[in-house]
Amino acid sequence: MLLFDSGIGGLSVLREVTRALPQAPLVYAADTAGFPYGVKSEMEVATRVSAWLGRLAERLRPSLVVIACNTASVIALAHVRAVLDVGVVGTVPAIKPAAEASVSRVIGVLGTPSTVRQPYVDALSARFAADCTVLRHGSSALVALAEAHLRGEATADADYRAALEGLLMQPGGDAMDVVVLACTHFPLVAERLAAVAPRPLRFVDGAAGIARRTAHLLAGRHWPAPGGHRAIATGAVPGLERYAPALKAFGLPPFEVF
Ligand code: DGL
């Protein structure tokens, strides 16, 4: 199975997929040469994601492709599905479970700037959270923080607080009780966000749902033993080796450049 993200965010999805399918061999691919996606135009993201997934799928022949990135999924999922001849699972903002969990009926969507402006998010809000106020904030700083955190660098509480305040300071933000982590990087720093929140907030993301879907689609397949995973980077960006300890913690070898 191939899991794809712009960087290391997809590891939050990989963690749940590994729990659901511990024997399945995984290739984790990060588009390090194209990172970050959240500040790119829709056209740039759609072109990169389709091109890279086409190349990777042709070379690796995965049993399933998981786009472990909200930005890539909300922009390019339909297109990728149309061009690949393998099943594709996407990651979309977990607005449905957030609306189900909210008592105050005010929920926040924290994603990349690109994700939070997509019509896909309007459609999910209208369908699943019509009786909620849905606040949105796009933070590319939080994506960079998650990357730094996984490289083992020190990151400041104030920067996590600033990302949350992007929601809390909006009109209605004082009543918000559930926050959708609508970027796969963000669950990797959920504890840091929770620690700086001015009151208990519930954070939800889509990783467990993706793992259930993946397990369903691959039901009946058997793999001899766990292991045989790979981690692929699309570009030899400086500092790539500093991700090795984090990759190891997720059961992956260091990045190899594709
Ligand atoms: N992890 C990605 C997401 O879920 C995007 C991060 C980025 O490249 O900006 O949206």
PDB file of all heavy atoms in Angstrom, residues 8 11 14 18 28 150 229-231 240-255:
ATOM      1  N   ILE A   8       5.791  14.873   6.283  1.00  0.00           N
ATOM      2  CA  ILE A   8       5.656  13.774   7.249  1.00  0.00           C
ATOM      3  C   ILE A   8       4.259  13.701   7.883  1.00  0.00           C
ATOM      4  O   ILE A   8       4.017  12.873   8.745  1.00  0.00           O
ATOM      5  CB  ILE A   8       6.744  13.816   8.350  1.00  0.00           C
ATOM      6  CG1 ILE A   8       6.971  15.205   8.910  1.00  0.00           C
ATOM      7  CG2 ILE A   8       8.066  13.254   7.832  1.00  0.00           C
ATOM      8  CD1 ILE A   8       5.867  15.767   9.694  1.00  0.00           C
ATOM      9  N   LEU A  11       2.174  10.493   8.378  1.00  0.00           N
ATOM     10  CA  LEU A  11       2.510   9.513   9.424  1.00  0.00           C
ATOM     11  C   LEU A  11       1.366   9.370  10.427  1.00  0.00           C
ATOM     12  O   LEU A  11       1.192   8.319  11.037  1.00  0.00           O
ATOM     13  CB  LEU A  11       3.801   9.921  10.157  1.00  0.00           C
ATOM     14  CG  LEU A  11       5.081   9.909   9.318  1.00  0.00           C
ATOM     15  CD1 LEU A  11       6.264  10.401  10.148  1.00  0.00           C
ATOM     16  CD2 LEU A  11       5.373   8.505   8.774  1.00  0.00           C
ATOM     17  N   LEU A  14      -0.654   6.835   8.723  1.00  0.00           N
ATOM     18  CA  LEU A  14       0.082   5.560   8.740  1.00  0.00           C
ATOM     19  C   LEU A  14      -0.045   4.864  10.102  1.00  0.00           C
ATOM     20  O   LEU A  14      -0.215   3.646  10.180  1.00  0.00           O
ATOM     21  CB  LEU A  14       1.555   5.828   8.406  1.00  0.00           C
ATOM     22  CG  LEU A  14       2.471   4.610   8.406  1.00  0.00           C
ATOM     23  CD1 LEU A  14       3.384   4.622   7.195  1.00  0.00           C
ATOM     24  CD2 LEU A  14       3.325   4.518   9.651  1.00  0.00           C
ATOM     25  N   THR A  18      -1.445   1.142  10.271  1.00  0.00           N
ATOM     26  CA  THR A  18      -0.596   0.061  10.791  1.00  0.00           C
ATOM     27  C   THR A  18      -1.309  -0.698  11.913  1.00  0.00           C
ATOM     28  O   THR A  18      -1.179  -1.908  12.039  1.00  0.00           O
ATOM     29  CB  THR A  18       0.734   0.627  11.334  1.00  0.00           C
ATOM     30  OG1 THR A  18       1.229   1.542  10.389  1.00  0.00           O
ATOM     31  CG2 THR A  18       1.765  -0.442  11.563  1.00  0.00           C
ATOM     32  N   TYR A  28       5.758   4.685   2.344  1.00  0.00           N
ATOM     33  CA  TYR A  28       5.374   6.047   2.693  1.00  0.00           C
ATOM     34  C   TYR A  28       6.119   6.988   1.758  1.00  0.00           C
ATOM     35  O   TYR A  28       7.350   6.975   1.712  1.00  0.00           O
ATOM     36  CB  TYR A  28       5.743   6.348   4.161  1.00  0.00           C
ATOM     37  CG  TYR A  28       5.266   7.723   4.559  1.00  0.00           C
ATOM     38  CD1 TYR A  28       3.940   7.925   4.900  1.00  0.00           C
ATOM     39  CD2 TYR A  28       6.115   8.823   4.530  1.00  0.00           C
ATOM     40  CE1 TYR A  28       3.466   9.188   5.202  1.00  0.00           C
ATOM     41  CE2 TYR A  28       5.652  10.092   4.833  1.00  0.00           C
ATOM     42  CZ  TYR A  28       4.327  10.260   5.175  1.00  0.00           C
ATOM     43  OH  TYR A  28       3.850  11.520   5.468  1.00  0.00           O
ATOM     44  N   LEU A 150       9.041  16.938  14.378  1.00  0.00           N
ATOM     45  CA  LEU A 150       9.451  15.581  14.017  1.00  0.00           C
ATOM     46  C   LEU A 150      10.929  15.486  13.629  1.00  0.00           C
ATOM     47  O   LEU A 150      11.499  14.402  13.651  1.00  0.00           O
ATOM     48  CB  LEU A 150       8.537  14.986  12.939  1.00  0.00           C
ATOM     49  CG  LEU A 150       7.411  14.195  13.625  1.00  0.00           C
ATOM     50  CD1 LEU A 150       6.314  15.098  14.123  1.00  0.00           C
ATOM     51  CD2 LEU A 150       6.891  13.070  12.793  1.00  0.00           C
ATOM     52  N   HIS A 229       8.740  -2.281   5.005  1.00  0.00           N
ATOM     53  CA  HIS A 229       8.275  -0.929   4.680  1.00  0.00           C
ATOM     54  C   HIS A 229       9.393  -0.111   4.028  1.00  0.00           C
ATOM     55  O   HIS A 229      10.570  -0.369   4.233  1.00  0.00           O
ATOM     56  CB  HIS A 229       7.830  -0.197   5.947  1.00  0.00           C
ATOM     57  CG  HIS A 229       6.740  -0.891   6.691  1.00  0.00           C
ATOM     58  ND1 HIS A 229       5.840  -1.734   6.093  1.00  0.00           N
ATOM     59  CD2 HIS A 229       6.403  -0.859   8.011  1.00  0.00           C
ATOM     60  CE1 HIS A 229       4.990  -2.188   7.009  1.00  0.00           C
ATOM     61  NE2 HIS A 229       5.325  -1.685   8.182  1.00  0.00           N
ATOM     62  N   ARG A 230       8.973   0.911   3.265  1.00  0.00           N
ATOM     63  CA  ARG A 230       9.931   1.851   2.688  1.00  0.00           C
ATOM     64  C   ARG A 230       9.449   3.268   2.933  1.00  0.00           C
ATOM     65  O   ARG A 230       8.244   3.507   3.054  1.00  0.00           O
ATOM     66  CB  ARG A 230      10.033   1.647   1.168  1.00  0.00           C
ATOM     67  CG  ARG A 230      10.682   0.363   0.767  1.00  0.00           C
ATOM     68  CD  ARG A 230      10.564   0.157  -0.730  1.00  0.00           C
ATOM     69  NE  ARG A 230      11.402   1.092  -1.492  1.00  0.00           N
ATOM     70  CZ  ARG A 230      11.400   1.156  -2.825  1.00  0.00           C
ATOM     71  NH1 ARG A 230      10.615   0.377  -3.533  1.00  0.00           N
ATOM     72  NH2 ARG A 230      12.196   2.010  -3.448  1.00  0.00           N
ATOM     73  N   ALA A 231      10.390   4.206   2.965  1.00  0.00           N
ATOM     74  CA  ALA A 231      10.045   5.629   3.042  1.00  0.00           C
ATOM     75  C   ALA A 231      10.753   6.324   1.884  1.00  0.00           C
ATOM     76  O   ALA A 231      11.977   6.217   1.737  1.00  0.00           O
ATOM     77  CB  ALA A 231      10.489   6.224   4.371  1.00  0.00           C
ATOM     78  N   LEU A 240      17.131  16.024   5.304  1.00  0.00           N
ATOM     79  CA  LEU A 240      16.267  14.843   5.158  1.00  0.00           C
ATOM     80  C   LEU A 240      16.624  13.752   6.180  1.00  0.00           C
ATOM     81  O   LEU A 240      15.752  13.060   6.695  1.00  0.00           O
ATOM     82  CB  LEU A 240      16.425  14.304   3.732  1.00  0.00           C
ATOM     83  CG  LEU A 240      15.293  13.501   3.120  1.00  0.00           C
ATOM     84  CD1 LEU A 240      13.965  14.244   3.206  1.00  0.00           C
ATOM     85  CD2 LEU A 240      15.615  13.166   1.666  1.00  0.00           C
ATOM     86  N   GLU A 241      17.927  13.647   6.472  1.00  0.00           N
ATOM     87  CA  GLU A 241      18.360  12.593   7.390  1.00  0.00           C
ATOM     88  C   GLU A 241      17.861  12.845   8.828  1.00  0.00           C
ATOM     89  O   GLU A 241      17.783  11.918   9.629  1.00  0.00           O
ATOM     90  CB  GLU A 241      19.896  12.446   7.362  1.00  0.00           C
ATOM     91  CG  GLU A 241      20.712  13.583   7.948  1.00  0.00           C
ATOM     92  CD  GLU A 241      20.669  14.890   7.134  1.00  0.00           C
ATOM     93  OE1 GLU A 241      20.257  14.862   5.966  1.00  0.00           O
ATOM     94  OE2 GLU A 241      21.037  15.942   7.699  1.00  0.00           O
ATOM     95  N   ARG A 242      17.470  14.081   9.123  1.00  0.00           N
ATOM     96  CA  ARG A 242      17.042  14.374  10.494  1.00  0.00           C
ATOM     97  C   ARG A 242      15.661  13.801  10.825  1.00  0.00           C
ATOM     98  O   ARG A 242      15.242  13.799  11.974  1.00  0.00           O
ATOM     99  CB  ARG A 242      17.056  15.893  10.734  1.00  0.00           C
ATOM    100  CG  ARG A 242      18.473  16.475  10.664  1.00  0.00           C
ATOM    101  CD  ARG A 242      18.627  17.724  11.518  1.00  0.00           C
ATOM    102  NE  ARG A 242      17.771  18.804  11.067  1.00  0.00           N
ATOM    103  CZ  ARG A 242      18.122  19.724  10.173  1.00  0.00           C
ATOM    104  NH1 ARG A 242      19.326  19.691   9.622  1.00  0.00           N
ATOM    105  NH2 ARG A 242      17.288  20.680   9.828  1.00  0.00           N
ATOM    106  N   TYR A 243      14.955  13.313   9.792  1.00  0.00           N
ATOM    107  CA  TYR A 243      13.656  12.681  10.050  1.00  0.00           C
ATOM    108  C   TYR A 243      13.809  11.211  10.465  1.00  0.00           C
ATOM    109  O   TYR A 243      12.821  10.584  10.855  1.00  0.00           O
ATOM    110  CB  TYR A 243      12.761  12.742   8.804  1.00  0.00           C
ATOM    111  CG  TYR A 243      12.319  14.151   8.455  1.00  0.00           C
ATOM    112  CD1 TYR A 243      12.961  14.877   7.458  1.00  0.00           C
ATOM    113  CD2 TYR A 243      11.266  14.748   9.135  1.00  0.00           C
ATOM    114  CE1 TYR A 243      12.561  16.169   7.142  1.00  0.00           C
ATOM    115  CE2 TYR A 243      10.859  16.040   8.827  1.00  0.00           C
ATOM    116  CZ  TYR A 243      11.503  16.740   7.828  1.00  0.00           C
ATOM    117  OH  TYR A 243      11.105  18.017   7.522  1.00  0.00           O
ATOM    118  N   ALA A 244      15.005  10.661  10.349  1.00  0.00           N
ATOM    119  CA  ALA A 244      15.179   9.218  10.568  1.00  0.00           C
ATOM    120  C   ALA A 244      14.647   8.732  11.924  1.00  0.00           C
ATOM    121  O   ALA A 244      13.935   7.718  11.973  1.00  0.00           O
ATOM    122  CB  ALA A 244      16.637   8.826  10.365  1.00  0.00           C
ATOM    123  N   PRO A 245      14.928   9.436  13.036  1.00  0.00           N
ATOM    124  CA  PRO A 245      14.403   8.927  14.312  1.00  0.00           C
ATOM    125  C   PRO A 245      12.871   8.899  14.349  1.00  0.00           C
ATOM    126  O   PRO A 245      12.275   7.942  14.857  1.00  0.00           O
ATOM    127  CB  PRO A 245      14.955   9.917  15.357  1.00  0.00           C
ATOM    128  CG  PRO A 245      16.170  10.526  14.692  1.00  0.00           C
ATOM    129  CD  PRO A 245      15.844  10.585  13.218  1.00  0.00           C
ATOM    130  N   ALA A 246      12.230   9.936  13.788  1.00  0.00           N
ATOM    131  CA  ALA A 246      10.753   9.950  13.779  1.00  0.00           C
ATOM    132  C   ALA A 246      10.217   8.830  12.892  1.00  0.00           C
ATOM    133  O   ALA A 246       9.280   8.122  13.262  1.00  0.00           O
ATOM    134  CB  ALA A 246      10.242  11.302  13.297  1.00  0.00           C
ATOM    135  N   LEU A 247      10.842   8.640  11.736  1.00  0.00           N
ATOM    136  CA  LEU A 247      10.396   7.563  10.840  1.00  0.00           C
ATOM    137  C   LEU A 247      10.527   6.217  11.549  1.00  0.00           C
ATOM    138  O   LEU A 247       9.637   5.361  11.476  1.00  0.00           O
ATOM    139  CB  LEU A 247      11.213   7.573   9.544  1.00  0.00           C
ATOM    140  CG  LEU A 247      10.969   8.773   8.609  1.00  0.00           C
ATOM    141  CD1 LEU A 247      11.988   8.779   7.472  1.00  0.00           C
ATOM    142  CD2 LEU A 247       9.550   8.750   8.037  1.00  0.00           C
ATOM    143  N   LYS A 248      11.635   6.056  12.269  1.00  0.00           N
ATOM    144  CA  LYS A 248      11.873   4.801  12.996  1.00  0.00           C
ATOM    145  C   LYS A 248      10.775   4.566  14.037  1.00  0.00           C
ATOM    146  O   LYS A 248      10.282   3.446  14.198  1.00  0.00           O
ATOM    147  CB  LYS A 248      13.240   4.873  13.677  1.00  0.00           C
ATOM    148  CG  LYS A 248      13.697   3.556  14.202  1.00  0.00           C
ATOM    149  CD  LYS A 248      15.118   3.605  14.672  1.00  0.00           C
ATOM    150  CE  LYS A 248      15.459   2.236  15.242  1.00  0.00           C
ATOM    151  NZ  LYS A 248      16.593   2.301  16.149  1.00  0.00           N
ATOM    152  N   ALA A 249      10.366   5.644  14.707  1.00  0.00           N
ATOM    153  CA  ALA A 249       9.313   5.513  15.727  1.00  0.00           C
ATOM    154  C   ALA A 249       7.990   5.056  15.098  1.00  0.00           C
ATOM    155  O   ALA A 249       7.146   4.487  15.782  1.00  0.00           O
ATOM    156  CB  ALA A 249       9.125   6.845  16.452  1.00  0.00           C
ATOM    157  N   PHE A 250       7.827   5.312  13.819  1.00  0.00           N
ATOM    158  CA  PHE A 250       6.618   4.859  13.113  1.00  0.00           C
ATOM    159  C   PHE A 250       6.870   3.552  12.350  1.00  0.00           C
ATOM    160  O   PHE A 250       6.065   3.150  11.517  1.00  0.00           O
ATOM    161  CB  PHE A 250       6.131   5.944  12.142  1.00  0.00           C
ATOM    162  CG  PHE A 250       5.444   7.100  12.835  1.00  0.00           C
ATOM    163  CD1 PHE A 250       6.176   8.170  13.312  1.00  0.00           C
ATOM    164  CD2 PHE A 250       4.071   7.094  13.028  1.00  0.00           C
ATOM    165  CE1 PHE A 250       5.543   9.234  13.959  1.00  0.00           C
ATOM    166  CE2 PHE A 250       3.429   8.147  13.666  1.00  0.00           C
ATOM    167  CZ  PHE A 250       4.176   9.228  14.141  1.00  0.00           C
ATOM    168  N   GLY A 251       8.007   2.917  12.605  1.00  0.00           N
ATOM    169  CA  GLY A 251       8.289   1.613  12.002  1.00  0.00           C
ATOM    170  C   GLY A 251       8.866   1.697  10.607  1.00  0.00           C
ATOM    171  O   GLY A 251       8.849   0.702   9.863  1.00  0.00           O
ATOM    172  N   LEU A 252       9.375   2.888  10.221  1.00  0.00           N
ATOM    173  CA  LEU A 252       9.892   3.049   8.854  1.00  0.00           C
ATOM    174  C   LEU A 252      11.404   3.225   8.847  1.00  0.00           C
ATOM    175  O   LEU A 252      11.990   3.783   9.778  1.00  0.00           O
ATOM    176  CB  LEU A 252       9.268   4.307   8.223  1.00  0.00           C
ATOM    177  CG  LEU A 252       7.764   4.295   7.957  1.00  0.00           C
ATOM    178  CD1 LEU A 252       7.308   5.675   7.487  1.00  0.00           C
ATOM    179  CD2 LEU A 252       7.390   3.234   6.927  1.00  0.00           C
ATOM    180  N   PRO A 253      12.057   2.808   7.747  1.00  0.00           N
ATOM    181  CA  PRO A 253      13.490   3.089   7.585  1.00  0.00           C
ATOM    182  C   PRO A 253      13.689   4.555   7.193  1.00  0.00           C
ATOM    183  O   PRO A 253      12.709   5.258   6.920  1.00  0.00           O
ATOM    184  CB  PRO A 253      13.883   2.162   6.429  1.00  0.00           C
ATOM    185  CG  PRO A 253      12.632   2.012   5.630  1.00  0.00           C
ATOM    186  CD  PRO A 253      11.490   2.082   6.607  1.00  0.00           C
ATOM    187  N   PRO A 254      14.944   5.049   7.139  1.00  0.00           N
ATOM    188  CA  PRO A 254      15.170   6.433   6.711  1.00  0.00           C
ATOM    189  C   PRO A 254      14.678   6.652   5.273  1.00  0.00           C
ATOM    190  O   PRO A 254      14.509   5.706   4.496  1.00  0.00           O
ATOM    191  CB  PRO A 254      16.695   6.587   6.772  1.00  0.00           C
ATOM    192  CG  PRO A 254      17.158   5.491   7.658  1.00  0.00           C
ATOM    193  CD  PRO A 254      16.180   4.368   7.503  1.00  0.00           C
ATOM    194  N   PHE A 255      14.502   7.930   4.908  1.00  0.00           N
ATOM    195  CA  PHE A 255      14.070   8.267   3.550  1.00  0.00           C
ATOM    196  C   PHE A 255      15.108   7.830   2.523  1.00  0.00           C
ATOM    197  O   PHE A 255      16.308   8.032   2.700  1.00  0.00           O
ATOM    198  CB  PHE A 255      13.918   9.792   3.401  1.00  0.00           C
ATOM    199  CG  PHE A 255      12.583  10.318   3.881  1.00  0.00           C
ATOM    200  CD1 PHE A 255      12.527  11.343   4.816  1.00  0.00           C
ATOM    201  CD2 PHE A 255      11.388   9.818   3.348  1.00  0.00           C
ATOM    202  CE1 PHE A 255      11.297  11.857   5.235  1.00  0.00           C
ATOM    203  CE2 PHE A 255      10.157  10.329   3.763  1.00  0.00           C
ATOM    204  CZ  PHE A 255      10.109  11.356   4.712  1.00  0.00           C
TER     205      PHE A 255
END
